């Protein structure tokens, strides 16, 4: 696999320096902690919002730092959780009088790094709380996590809490909002090819020309099944079925109910995993939109493009986010970030 790379160990720092230079006066780069932060942060009139996760998923999360979104992102190496000290020191630099909110995709390494960092920060008198995102319906457990994975649906959580933070919401209010949004987002991905981390030099996994990985994770984790390639419409049907039949507990006795029902309004995201042409993403979107409308689910707004990638993996994910009037307002609120994804 050919890549634009110098020293693989410097791949992430060189990328982050490029983001800073491309956005003068908007963001700044702190090399010691892989931190991209708002140039005007911290602001004591708002909660500071920090993400981490591994690199390799851009524009998540270093390219969505700015007004109305994240105040900072401190990624680890490609597909690796950030070290604890990155999270601690980044949170200190971004600490606000209203506190710090961590948004964490549900992967074992990320959870551990942010959990331990939060304990250190609290010992030092810094108020910090955490939202965990786990929107992936493909598998319950994977190579990287216990429980469901957090994937492209995290953008809806970030956008909602980012907008609310700009309006002055408290830390507790943001945690409640983020958890509520997480409860109404569901995603599933699939891959046509593997991807090659710069330091590895070879694909994480390979697929035959007539194979796909249904339910793949954003680090190349196995999904539900390795299957034969079929038509785009059939792939969308399979993925929508998995999302629409997912349910949530509604009582202590584990009674469950569907999340998406006839009459609901949703935001529909078709997310490219890094190597899929935008033309194909819109082809997929068109059919998914029609199928949802046929089921009585109204598509309120479209999101088509690359939001959470896996390097150059060819493939895509579908995310549905059920919306109400409050969430619509938050998703439509102004944001100013390097990559115009919202």
């Amino acid at each position: 696999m050919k890549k634009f790379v110098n020293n693989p160990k410097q791949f992430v720092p060189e990328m982050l320096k490029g983001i800073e230079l491309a956005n003068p006066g908007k963001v700044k780069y702190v090399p010691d902690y892989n931190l991209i932060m708002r140039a005007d942060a911290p602001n004591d009139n708002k909660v500071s919002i920090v993400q981490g996760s591994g690199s390799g998923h851009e524009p998540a999360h270093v390219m969505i730092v700015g007004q109305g979104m994240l105040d900072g992102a401190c990624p680890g190496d490609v597909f690796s959780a950030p070290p604890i000290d990155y999270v601690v020191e980044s949170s200190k630099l971004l600490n606000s009088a209203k506190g710090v909110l961590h948004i964490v995709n549900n992967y074992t390494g990320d959870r551990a790094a942010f959990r331990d960092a939060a304990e250190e920060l609290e010992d030092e008198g810094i108020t910090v709380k955490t939202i965990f995102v786990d929107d992936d319906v493909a598998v319950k457990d994977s190579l990287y996590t216990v429980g469901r994975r957090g994937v492209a649906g995290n953008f809806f959580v970030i956008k909602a809490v980012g907008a609310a933070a700009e309006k002055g919401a408290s830390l507790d209010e943001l945690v409640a909002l983020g958890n509520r949004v997480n409860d109404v987002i569901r995603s599933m991905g699939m891959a046509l090819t593997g991807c090659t981390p710069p330091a590895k030099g070879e694909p994480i996994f390979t697929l035959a020309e007539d194979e796909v990985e249904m339910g793949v994770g954003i680090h190349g984790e196995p999904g539900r099944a390795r299957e034969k390639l079929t038509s785009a419409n059939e792939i969308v049907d399979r993925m929508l079925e998995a999302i629409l039949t997912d349910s949530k507990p509604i009582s202590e006795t584990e009674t469950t109910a569907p999340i998406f029902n006839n009459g609901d309004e949703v935001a529909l995201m078709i997310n490219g995993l890094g190597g899929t042409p935008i033309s194909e993403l819109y082809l997929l979107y068109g059919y998914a939109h029609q199928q949802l409308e046929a089921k009585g689910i109204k598509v309120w707004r479209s999101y088509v493009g690359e939001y959470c990638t896996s390097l150059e993996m060819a493939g895509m994910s579908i995310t549905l986010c059920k919306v109400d009037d409050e969430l619509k307002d938050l998703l439509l609120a102004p944001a100013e970030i390097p990559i115009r994804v919202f």
Side-chain angles (χ1 to χ4, degrees):
M1 181 70 188
K2 297 178 182 178
K3 287 183 176 290
F4 291 107
V5 62
N6 299 307
N7 179 348
K9 293 183 179 180
Q10 293 301 310
F11 178 78
V12 173
E14 289 177 358
M15 170 190 68
L16 298 178
K17 185 62 178 178
I19 293 171
E20 178 190 48
L21 292 173
N23 298 275
K26 300 294 185 182
V27 301
K28 60 182 179 180
Y29 167 44
V30 184
D32 290 346
Y33 315 119
N34 272 5
L35 172 63
I36 292 288
M37 61 183 287
R38 286 177 60 167
D40 61 354
N43 178 348
D44 282 337
N45 293 318
K46 70 179 292 295
V47 173
S48 288
I49 303 172
V50 180
Q51 245 284 10
S53 302
S55 299
H57 305 303
E58 292 74 30
H61 298 94
V62 291
M63 296 177 187
I64 58 168
V65 172
Q67 177 193 348
M69 295 288 276
L70 297 175
D71 292 282
C74 56
D77 290 333
V78 172
F79 296 172
S80 296
I84 296 169
D85 64 311
Y86 283 21
V87 182
V88 170
E89 298 304 325
S90 294
S91 299
K92 287 181 180 179
L93 288 172
L94 287 160
N95 186 31
S96 150
K98 298 193 72 166
V100 177
L101 175 65
H102 291 161
I103 300 179
V104 183
N105 283 357
N106 188 41
Y107 294 95
T108 302
D110 297 288
R111 288 186 70 107
F114 278 85
R115 179 197 64 223
D116 293 348
E119 291 176 358
E120 286 192 34
L121 291 164
E122 288 166 354
D123 288 342
E124 296 189 34
I126 294 174
T127 303
V128 57
K129 295 195 175 183
T130 306
I131 297 169
F132 294 103
V133 181
D134 59 353
D135 54 304
D136 190 356
V137 305
V139 292
K140 181 180 178 182
D141 302 308
S142 76
L143 298 178
Y144 284 72
T145 193
V146 175
R148 296 186 176 194
R149 306 173 293 209
V151 289
N154 67 5
F155 276 78
F156 293 106
V157 176
I158 292 168
K159 181 66 183 70
V161 300
E166 294 290 345
K167 297 179 179 181
S170 70
L171 184 55
D172 286 339
E173 288 170 335
L174 293 182
V175 171
L177 171 64
N179 287 332
R180 184 169 71 81
V181 177
N182 183 61
D183 284 344
V184 293
I185 52 174
R186 293 294 185 271
S187 303
M188 185 171 175
M190 60 83 61
L192 301 173
T193 70
C195 61
T196 302
K200 186 176 177 66
E202 60 184 32
I204 291 178
F205 67 95
T206 58
L207 292 168
E209 284 297 313
D210 64 345
E211 286 184 325
V212 300
E213 185 75 29
M214 293 296 293
V216 72
I218 55 175
H219 307 99
E221 311 99 303
R224 291 190 170 191
R226 186 161 293 188
E227 302 175 357
K228 293 298 182 181
L229 177 64
T230 184
S231 71
N233 288 358
E234 290 177 292
I235 289 170
V236 170
D237 282 337
R238 291 281 310 283
M239 296 170 72
L240 282 180
E241 180 184 13
I243 292 170
L244 294 176
T245 57
D246 196 59
S247 58
K248 61 180 179 181
I250 58 173
S251 73
E252 294 181 359
T253 59
E254 292 301 310
T255 300
T256 60
I259 297 162
F260 306 103
N261 298 280
N262 188 304
D264 286 342
E265 289 185 270
V266 299
L268 168 59
M269 173 186 284
I270 302 295
N271 168 62
L273 294 181
T276 302
I278 191 71
S279 54
E280 294 179 24
L281 297 181
Y282 272 101
L283 180 153
L284 296 162
Y285 175 85
Y287 182 71
H289 183 122
Q290 292 172 335
Q291 292 303 104
L292 289 170
E293 296 278 355
K295 297 177 186 297
I297 298 173
K298 181 181 178 181
V299 178
W300 165 72
R301 196 162 192 246
S302 64
Y303 297 84
V304 183
E306 293 183 343
Y307 294 84
C308 185
T309 64
S310 186
L311 294 172
E312 79 288 352
M313 183 184 290
M316 64 89 178
S317 63
I318 299 175
T319 299
L320 295 185
C321 174
K322 185 161 69 172
V323 295
D324 56 20
D325 289 343
E326 179 190 11
L327 188 48
K328 287 179 184 179
D329 287 343
L330 293 170
L331 294 180
L332 292 176
E336 186 176 353
I337 54 177
I339 302 295
R340 299 299 193 272
V341 292
F342 270 97

